[in-house]
PDB file of all heavy atoms in Angstrom:
ATOM      1  N   ALA A 335    -117.320-143.408-159.564  1.00 92.00           N
ATOM      2  CA  ALA A 335    -116.556-144.604-159.935  1.00 92.00           C
ATOM      3  C   ALA A 335    -117.131-145.845-159.262  1.00 92.00           C
ATOM      4  O   ALA A 335    -117.196-146.922-159.871  1.00 92.00           O
ATOM      5  CB  ALA A 335    -115.089-144.413-159.532  1.00 92.00           C
ATOM      6  N   TYR A 336    -117.554-145.696-158.023  1.00 93.00           N
ATOM      7  CA  TYR A 336    -118.156-146.799-157.266  1.00 93.00           C
ATOM      8  C   TYR A 336    -119.377-147.355-157.995  1.00 93.00           C
ATOM      9  O   TYR A 336    -119.503-148.566-158.208  1.00 93.00           O
ATOM     10  CB  TYR A 336    -118.530-146.277-155.875  1.00 93.00           C
ATOM     11  CG  TYR A 336    -119.353-147.205-155.011  1.00 93.00           C
ATOM     12  CD1 TYR A 336    -118.745-148.175-154.223  1.00 93.00           C
ATOM     13  CD2 TYR A 336    -120.739-147.082-154.947  1.00 93.00           C
ATOM     14  CE1 TYR A 336    -119.492-149.008-153.405  1.00 93.00           C
ATOM     15  CE2 TYR A 336    -121.503-147.904-154.139  1.00 93.00           C
ATOM     16  CZ  TYR A 336    -120.883-148.864-153.372  1.00 93.00           C
ATOM     17  OH  TYR A 336    -121.630-149.674-152.564  1.00 93.00           O
ATOM     18  N   HIS A 337    -120.262-146.457-158.428  1.00 93.00           N
ATOM     19  CA  HIS A 337    -121.455-146.913-159.150  1.00 93.00           C
ATOM     20  C   HIS A 337    -121.094-147.446-160.531  1.00 93.00           C
ATOM     21  O   HIS A 337    -121.698-148.421-161.014  1.00 93.00           O
ATOM     22  CB  HIS A 337    -122.469-145.776-159.250  1.00 93.00           C
ATOM     23  CG  HIS A 337    -123.291-145.609-158.020  1.00 93.00           C
ATOM     24  ND1 HIS A 337    -124.460-146.283-157.803  1.00 93.00           N
ATOM     25  CD2 HIS A 337    -123.099-144.842-156.911  1.00 93.00           C
ATOM     26  CE1 HIS A 337    -124.968-145.949-156.620  1.00 93.00           C
ATOM     27  NE2 HIS A 337    -124.157-145.073-156.063  1.00 93.00           N
ATOM     28  N   GLY A 338    -120.097-146.812-161.176  1.00 93.00           N
ATOM     29  CA  GLY A 338    -119.671-147.306-162.478  1.00 93.00           C
ATOM     30  C   GLY A 338    -119.132-148.725-162.404  1.00 93.00           C
ATOM     31  O   GLY A 338    -119.403-149.552-163.282  1.00 93.00           O
ATOM     32  N   ILE A 339    -118.387-149.028-161.350  1.00 93.00           N
ATOM     33  CA  ILE A 339    -117.840-150.382-161.165  1.00 93.00           C
ATOM     34  C   ILE A 339    -118.957-151.403-161.031  1.00 93.00           C
ATOM     35  O   ILE A 339    -118.915-152.484-161.640  1.00 93.00           O
ATOM     36  CB  ILE A 339    -116.919-150.421-159.925  1.00 93.00           C
ATOM     37  CG1 ILE A 339    -115.612-149.676-160.221  1.00 93.00           C
ATOM     38  CG2 ILE A 339    -116.627-151.860-159.507  1.00 93.00           C
ATOM     39  CD1 ILE A 339    -114.754-149.432-159.010  1.00 93.00           C
ATOM     40  N   PHE A 340    -120.003-151.068-160.268  1.00 94.00           N
ATOM     41  CA  PHE A 340    -121.089-152.029-160.083  1.00 94.00           C
ATOM     42  C   PHE A 340    -121.929-152.177-161.352  1.00 94.00           C
ATOM     43  O   PHE A 340    -122.497-153.251-161.594  1.00 94.00           O
ATOM     44  CB  PHE A 340    -121.947-151.645-158.880  1.00 94.00           C
ATOM     45  CG  PHE A 340    -121.366-152.123-157.581  1.00 94.00           C
ATOM     46  CD1 PHE A 340    -120.701-151.249-156.740  1.00 94.00           C
ATOM     47  CD2 PHE A 340    -121.447-153.456-157.216  1.00 94.00           C
ATOM     48  CE1 PHE A 340    -120.139-151.697-155.556  1.00 94.00           C
ATOM     49  CE2 PHE A 340    -120.883-153.918-156.035  1.00 94.00           C
ATOM     50  CZ  PHE A 340    -120.227-153.032-155.199  1.00 94.00           C
ATOM     51  N   LEU A 341    -122.020-151.119-162.168  1.00 93.00           N
ATOM     52  CA  LEU A 341    -122.707-151.287-163.451  1.00 93.00           C
ATOM     53  C   LEU A 341    -121.929-152.232-164.363  1.00 93.00           C
ATOM     54  O   LEU A 341    -122.525-153.039-165.092  1.00 93.00           O
ATOM     55  CB  LEU A 341    -122.908-149.931-164.129  1.00 93.00           C
ATOM     56  CG  LEU A 341    -124.308-149.346-163.943  1.00 93.00           C
ATOM     57  CD1 LEU A 341    -124.456-148.663-162.589  1.00 93.00           C
ATOM     58  CD2 LEU A 341    -124.651-148.375-165.053  1.00 93.00           C
ATOM     59  N   ILE A 342    -120.607-152.120-164.321  1.00 93.00           N
ATOM     60  CA  ILE A 342    -119.773-153.036-165.115  1.00 93.00           C
ATOM     61  C   ILE A 342    -119.899-154.459-164.583  1.00 93.00           C
ATOM     62  O   ILE A 342    -120.041-155.418-165.360  1.00 93.00           O
ATOM     63  CB  ILE A 342    -118.305-152.560-165.092  1.00 93.00           C
ATOM     64  CG1 ILE A 342    -118.175-151.234-165.847  1.00 93.00           C
ATOM     65  CG2 ILE A 342    -117.395-153.617-165.709  1.00 93.00           C
ATOM     66  CD1 ILE A 342    -116.830-150.565-165.694  1.00 93.00           C
ATOM     67  N   LEU A 343    -119.868-154.619-163.256  1.00 94.00           N
ATOM     68  CA  LEU A 343    -120.031-155.952-162.660  1.00 94.00           C
ATOM     69  C   LEU A 343    -121.401-156.538-162.989  1.00 94.00           C
ATOM     70  O   LEU A 343    -121.529-157.756-163.186  1.00 94.00           O
ATOM     71  CB  LEU A 343    -119.840-155.874-161.146  1.00 94.00           C
ATOM     72  CG  LEU A 343    -118.424-155.548-160.655  1.00 94.00           C
ATOM     73  CD1 LEU A 343    -118.405-155.439-159.132  1.00 94.00           C
ATOM     74  CD2 LEU A 343    -117.438-156.605-161.130  1.00 94.00           C
ATOM     75  N   ASP A 344    -122.430-155.681-163.056  1.00 93.00           N
ATOM     76  CA  ASP A 344    -123.759-156.159-163.473  1.00 93.00           C
ATOM     77  C   ASP A 344    -123.681-156.789-164.857  1.00 93.00           C
ATOM     78  O   ASP A 344    -124.276-157.849-165.109  1.00 93.00           O
ATOM     79  CB  ASP A 344    -124.758-155.001-163.485  1.00 93.00           C
ATOM     80  CG  ASP A 344    -125.335-154.709-162.112  1.00 93.00           C
ATOM     81  OD1 ASP A 344    -125.110-155.505-161.192  1.00 93.00           O
ATOM     82  OD2 ASP A 344    -126.010-153.672-161.956  1.00 93.00           O
ATOM     83  N   ARG A 345    -122.972-156.120-165.756  1.00 92.00           N
ATOM     84  CA  ARG A 345    -122.850-156.622-167.126  1.00 92.00           C
ATOM     85  C   ARG A 345    -122.070-157.938-167.165  1.00 92.00           C
ATOM     86  O   ARG A 345    -122.373-158.813-167.991  1.00 92.00           O
ATOM     87  CB  ARG A 345    -122.119-155.576-167.988  1.00 92.00           C
ATOM     88  CG  ARG A 345    -122.891-154.282-168.168  1.00 92.00           C
ATOM     89  CD  ARG A 345    -123.480-154.219-169.531  1.00 92.00           C
ATOM     90  NE  ARG A 345    -124.204-152.978-169.746  1.00 92.00           N
ATOM     91  CZ  ARG A 345    -124.694-152.610-170.919  1.00 92.00           C
ATOM     92  NH1 ARG A 345    -124.519-153.395-171.966  1.00 92.00           N
ATOM     93  NH2 ARG A 345    -125.356-151.503-171.055  1.00 92.00           N
ATOM     94  N   ILE A 346    -121.064-158.061-166.309  1.00 91.00           N
ATOM     95  CA  ILE A 346    -120.200-159.240-166.352  1.00 91.00           C
ATOM     96  C   ILE A 346    -120.898-160.462-165.755  1.00 91.00           C
ATOM     97  O   ILE A 346    -120.942-161.530-166.379  1.00 91.00           O
ATOM     98  CB  ILE A 346    -118.873-158.964-165.621  1.00 91.00           C
ATOM     99  CG1 ILE A 346    -118.100-157.839-166.333  1.00 91.00           C
ATOM    100  CG2 ILE A 346    -118.016-160.228-165.554  1.00 91.00           C
ATOM    101  CD1 ILE A 346    -116.859-157.385-165.589  1.00 91.00           C
ATOM    102  N   PHE A 347    -121.448-160.300-164.528  1.00 93.00           N
ATOM    103  CA  PHE A 347    -122.045-161.487-163.890  1.00 93.00           C
ATOM    104  C   PHE A 347    -123.096-161.160-162.837  1.00 93.00           C
ATOM    105  O   PHE A 347    -123.945-162.000-162.531  1.00 93.00           O
ATOM    106  CB  PHE A 347    -120.945-162.321-163.208  1.00 93.00           C
ATOM    107  CG  PHE A 347    -120.397-161.696-161.949  1.00 93.00           C
ATOM    108  CD1 PHE A 347    -120.916-162.023-160.699  1.00 93.00           C
ATOM    109  CD2 PHE A 347    -119.369-160.764-162.005  1.00 93.00           C
ATOM    110  CE1 PHE A 347    -120.415-161.451-159.543  1.00 93.00           C
ATOM    111  CE2 PHE A 347    -118.858-160.189-160.858  1.00 93.00           C
ATOM    112  CZ  PHE A 347    -119.385-160.530-159.619  1.00 93.00           C
TER     113      PHE A 347
END
Side-chain angles (χ1 to χ4, degrees):
Y336 171 86
H337 279 272
I339 288 169
F340 277 102
L341 261 81
I342 293 170
L343 292 177
D344 277 350
R345 294 256 181 172
I346 297 173
F347 73 94

